[in-house]
Amino acid sequence: MPGQQDIQLQSNSNDDDVGPMPPPPVKKKKVLQHESLYLQNLPCTDQYETSLMHRDIVNFVFYTKTDFLITTSIDGHVKFWKKSTTGIDFVKHFRSHLGVIVAGDVSYDGLSFATTSVDKGLKVFDVVNFDMINMFKLDYLPNTICWMYQTGQAQSLLACSEKESNKIHLYDGRGGTDLLITISTLHSVPTHIMRYNPDANVTVSVDEKGMIEYWTPDVDNEEGFTLPNTPLVNWKYKSETDLYEFKKNRVHPTSLVFSPDYTKFVTFEFKDRQLRIFQFNTGKMLRKYDESLEIVTENQKTKSNIHTFDDMEFGRRLAIEREIEKIEGGQASTVNAVFDESGYFLLYPTLLGIKVLNIYTNQVSHLIGKGETNRFMNLVLYQGAPKKKSRVTVEMAASDNSVLKEAETMDPTIFCTAYKKNRFYSFSRREPDTASGQIRDVFNEKPSREEQTVAAATVQHEEMGTSFIIHTTFGDIYIKIYPEFAPKACKNFVELAKRGYYEKNNFHRCIKGFMIQTGDPLNDGTGGQSMWGTEFEDEFHSQIKHDQPYMISMANCGPNTNGSQFFITVAATPWLDNKHTVFGRCTGGMDVVHRIENAKCDRFDRPKEPITIISIEAR
């Protein structure tokens, strides 16, 4: 038929076309409507605004619906703080336990808080009145705790699992100290996570083999629990869900957190570094994100991610991750992820900083704290929802009432702990105001000698800067100094550079595969004085060592004999640790360093052709 023939001719004509094909249609990217408005109610800064102290390492932070922040430390101390318009105010300090606090939980209504510790104590607090109201002495090592009650329920059920068995014990947290019932048939191994959904009256628990269970606490049942009987749980058999995900992969999550509307929950497992988001009612896995070190390292190598560091800084951060992994059940078990109030964004700490992930578009919207050197661990998010007012009159709206304005104030803030730090940190939408003399790291506890030195160095750091360019006849070397670790050595270097002391100094000693040395105005390695005209003492710090190339150290002829000479390493030189003061590192111009290193030298390791410092410029 004519129609068919026309089609065939057209088809043959297309097959005979020569030339490039047009590009395939571009797949339309998913866009979250009003994303910018959601992000305006989230912190967004590269630096934390302020930090406050405990006497020992801070391991958990909690935030309540009643606007209290609660922090705990490994020495058993608990501190209550009250959220103010901008920042927090100290309320009360408890020496709650004699050992490490292993778990804590805030009730869904924000009225009750409980902690448990290796000292076999279980303490209960009235949050609003910031008072300890109940104490339990346990005859077992606790593993985790969870409040499990709804509004109007007669008993405020508090569950506590055993670390060395599969048992879960139920108590009336705000009542007496009697045991109500023990659950021994739910899990086969110790339970290390329990989270309660008050909307469904269902608890989600996870054991150390990765088995997830949904159950409803019931002290009138001989087993202590019943299976969920609510329209908010839409499955009957676990095979209909993805709850075997951890069991199949032979891992168990270290944290589980519900979204604010309790329709989703997110888990994080530090061993495989996978974030998994589940739909609560179906038990189906919605998203899975890989934050493994292999992926992060590959992105760093290929620079395929906009959030990358220079190789030396990335290596330092990677070494910290390896160190955290070595201690099973240590601070690694406190790392968590949290939802924002919209449920569209997930916030979680990584070695790069705190990521703000849009789970609708699968894109990282922000990287908070990228400019900090701390490894952040456990976090909570406050989004400053305005206080509800029953009715606003025309007069109220038109008035200049400071109380009404405060009620409308939004102050989104992240509170978080950091690895091996006895401080907790707050990120808001405000950059730290150091220009006005405001101190970021508040000493609300008596600081150690080391912390006093760091605090003094921080002031010097702000006054003298930390980035410099060493202009040489072979090219420019970019360096960064660390006054927080070696304040005297840094002050000496900066002052001598300002005076022009290093100008026309040669690199008088260059050893291939080891280091290059300069800073002697006599250019033979025998001269040079410090800014004070006398030798000054060594400064050693565990955070900065000769564990990688391009470190900058003071040259000396024995302990506490530092003057003006310094050297730059070209390889890891750990034998120099605690012998030479490290005060900086190269951030650029490594090719220049190697050109100087490879220069032809005489038998005294002195370059045959002079290699000279022209000047040192502050950036």
Side-chain angles (χ1 to χ4, degrees):
M1 295 182 62
Q4 291 178 340
Q5 187 179 7
D6 291 343
I7 294 173
Q8 185 65 39
L9 288 172
Q10 184 179 355
S11 175
N12 290 339
S13 175
N14 289 339
D15 289 341
D16 293 338
D17 286 345
V18 177
M21 296 295 292
V26 178
K27 188 177 180 181
K28 191 174 182 181
K29 289 185 178 180
K30 294 181 73 174
V31 177
L32 176 62
Q33 197 173 11
H34 310 305
E35 179 179 8
S36 59
L37 293 177
Y38 294 130
L39 291 175
Q40 285 176 15
N41 199 29
L42 287 172
C44 61
T45 56
D46 283 344
Q47 295 181 300
Y48 64 84
E49 183 180 18
T50 187
S51 74
L52 291 152
M53 295 176 67
H54 270 248
R55 294 178 184 175
D56 212 331
I57 295 172
V58 182
N59 56 350
F60 292 108
V61 287
F62 303 89
Y63 200 85
T64 73
K65 285 185 177 180
T66 46
D67 286 341
F68 281 89
L69 176 73
I70 305 171
T71 57
T72 69
S73 52
I74 62 172
D75 57 357
H77 289 236
V78 177
K79 289 187 178 182
F80 282 69
W81 315 79
K82 180 67 174 176
K83 186 72 180 72
S84 59
T85 307
T86 55
I88 54 173
D89 298 318
F90 174 72
V91 176
K92 201 166 185 179
H93 179 187
F94 292 92
R95 175 64 187 266
S96 182
H97 298 278
L98 299 176
V100 177
I101 293 176
V102 296
D105 192 44
V106 176
S107 61
Y108 82 98
D109 55 11
L111 300 178
S112 304
F113 175 67
T115 58
T116 191
S117 165
V118 294
D119 67 357
K120 298 185 179 180
L122 176 59
K123 307 293 175 69
V124 178
F125 300 86
D126 183 325
V127 174
V128 176
N129 297 306
F130 35 91
D131 191 20
M132 187 184 294
I133 59 173
N134 207 352
M135 296 186 292
F136 298 82
K137 186 61 181 174
L138 310 175
D139 57 2
Y140 56 87
L141 274 175
N143 205 12
T144 189
I145 56 177
C146 181
W147 290 99
M148 304 177 183
Y149 66 90
Q150 293 178 304
T151 303
Q153 194 168 319
Q155 294 173 316
S156 301
L157 293 182
L158 177 61
C160 182
S161 68
E162 292 192 21
K163 186 173 182 61
E164 298 172 336
S165 80
N166 65 334
K167 294 179 180 178
I168 300 172
H169 306 280
L170 296 182
Y171 305 90
D172 183 357
R174 297 179 71 96
T177 58
D178 295 334
L179 174 65
L180 299 180
I181 198 166
T182 297
I183 300 172
S184 57
T185 59
L186 183 63
H187 288 279
S188 59
V189 294
T191 304
H192 71 289
I193 294 177
M194 292 186 289
R195 293 292 178 264
Y196 180 66
N197 182 335
D199 293 349
N201 190 26
V202 170
T203 299
V204 179
S205 58
V206 189
D207 65 31
E208 293 179 355
K209 285 188 175 180
M211 188 64 75
I212 299 180
E213 301 290 351
Y214 282 30
W215 52 282
T216 298
D218 187 354
V219 295
D220 296 324
N221 187 292
E222 60 180 10
E223 291 188 326
F225 71 94
T226 59
L227 296 178
N229 182 20
T230 169
L232 296 180
V233 176
N234 300 336
W235 54 272
K236 185 176 181 181
Y237 301 104
K238 202 179 292 184
S239 57
E240 303 171 19
T241 72
D242 294 326
L243 298 180
Y244 286 116
E245 167 74 10
F246 299 101
K247 186 75 172 176
K248 287 189 294 185
N249 289 284
R250 297 183 179 180
V251 294
H252 60 268
T254 50
S255 72
L256 187 153
V257 178
F258 276 106
S259 60
D261 61 1
Y262 293 98
T263 60
K264 299 185 289 288
F265 62 87
V266 59
T267 65
F268 180 74
E269 208 290 312
F270 201 85
K271 185 178 179 182
D272 67 1
R273 297 177 187 258
Q274 304 281 326
L275 284 153
R276 297 170 173 91
I277 301 175
F278 291 84
Q279 189 75 28
F280 171 76
N281 62 345
T282 62
K284 291 289 187 180
M285 188 164 61
L286 302 176
R287 296 279 193 279
K288 185 176 180 179
Y289 300 102
D290 189 356
E291 289 289 341
S292 63
L293 295 184
E294 292 76 17
I295 295 292
V296 177
T297 303
E298 183 63 27
N299 289 340
Q300 173 71 18
K301 286 180 179 178
T302 61
K303 306 295 182 183
S304 58
N305 193 316
I306 60 171
H307 305 297
T308 56
F309 295 88
D310 66 74
D311 291 340
M312 295 187 68
E313 175 62 16
F314 182 78
R316 184 192 69 81
R317 295 186 181 224
L318 198 60
I320 292 176
E321 295 301 301
R322 300 296 187 195
E323 182 182 337
I324 295 171
E325 288 180 335
K326 289 179 183 177
I327 307 173
E328 189 172 348
Q331 268 192 278
S333 62
T334 68
V335 178
N336 64 337
V338 298
F339 289 95
D340 78 321
E341 64 182 8
S342 71
Y344 286 122
F345 294 90
L346 197 63
L347 291 83
Y348 56 96
T350 69
L351 82 163
L352 305 177
I354 300 173
K355 286 188 177 180
V356 179
L357 176 66
N358 184 330
I359 63 174
Y360 183 80
T361 63
N362 296 321
Q363 298 292 321
V364 175
S365 301
H366 279 318
L367 185 61
I368 300 170
K370 182 180 178 181
E372 300 294 344
T373 57
N374 295 321
R375 202 319 185 172
F376 301 108
M377 306 294 284
N378 183 255
L379 61 86
V380 291
L381 173 64
Y382 165 78
Q383 289 194 267
K387 299 172 185 176
K388 294 182 179 178
K389 303 184 291 294
S390 57
R391 187 169 61 93
V392 179
T393 64
V394 175
E395 292 79 7
M396 290 170 64
S399 68
D400 188 19
N401 190 316
S402 60
V403 176
L404 292 177
K405 286 183 177 180
E406 181 180 340
E408 296 290 346
T409 300
M410 308 288 280
D411 184 33
T413 309
I414 291 173
F415 298 100
C416 59
T417 68
Y419 181 57
K420 286 188 175 179
K421 297 294 182 181
N422 64 334
R423 292 182 170 274
F424 67 95
Y425 303 83
S426 63
F427 290 88
S428 66
R429 295 188 66 83
R430 297 178 296 275
E431 293 287 352
D433 185 15
T434 54
S436 64
Q438 178 183 340
I439 299 175
R440 281 206 307 168
D441 300 314
V442 180
F443 286 94
N444 54 299
E445 295 278 3
K446 184 178 179 180
S448 64
R449 183 175 297 177
E450 183 180 356
E451 287 170 330
Q452 289 173 346
T453 303
V454 171
T458 302
V459 177
Q460 295 175 10
H461 162 100
E462 291 164 2
E463 291 175 351
M464 63 186 172
T466 59
S467 297
F468 296 85
I469 306 173
I470 302 176
H471 299 289
T472 77
T473 52
F474 269 35
D476 294 343
I477 302 172
Y478 296 81
I479 70 169
K480 180 178 181 180
I481 62 173
Y482 296 102
E484 65 267 33
F485 299 135
K488 279 199 170 183
C490 291
K491 187 174 183 179
N492 179 64
F493 174 82
V494 172
E495 182 59 31
L496 293 180
K498 283 181 180 178
R499 296 177 186 176
Y501 188 87
Y502 290 122
E503 293 176 11
K504 298 183 181 179
N505 286 9
N506 291 345
F507 284 87
H508 62 267
R509 187 172 176 232
C510 301
I511 303 176
K512 191 172 182 179
F514 180 32
M515 61 91 209
I516 58 176
Q517 186 171 331
T518 185
D520 175 15
L522 301 180
N523 293 325
D524 61 4
T526 63
Q529 283 189 329
S530 72
M531 61 174 284
W532 300 282
T534 58
E535 297 171 341
F536 63 94
E537 66 270 20
D538 297 320
E539 298 168 296
F540 304 132
H541 199 285
S542 60
Q543 293 285 323
I544 183 167
K545 297 182 178 182
H546 300 87
D547 55 355
Q548 51 190 322
Y550 314 117
M551 304 308 291
I552 305 173
S553 279
M554 293 300 299
N556 60 42
C557 55
N560 304 313
T561 58
N562 299 293
S564 63
Q565 295 187 43
F566 63 91
F567 61 90
I568 302 172
T569 64
V570 294
T573 54
W575 63 88
L576 299 181
D577 289 342
N578 299 322
K579 294 179 181 178
H580 293 269
T581 298
V582 183
F583 67 94
R585 67 178 176 87
C586 298
T587 58
M590 283 75 164
D591 57 328
V592 177
V593 173
H594 287 297
R595 281 186 63 201
I596 298 173
E597 172 206 2
N598 293 316
K600 291 183 179 181
C601 298
D602 60 20
R603 62 191 181 91
F604 300 108
D605 301 315
R606 188 177 295 117
K608 292 182 177 180
E609 295 294 330
I611 305 168
T612 308
I613 294 177
I614 300 170
S615 65
I616 297 179
E617 173 191 348
R619 288 201 290 166

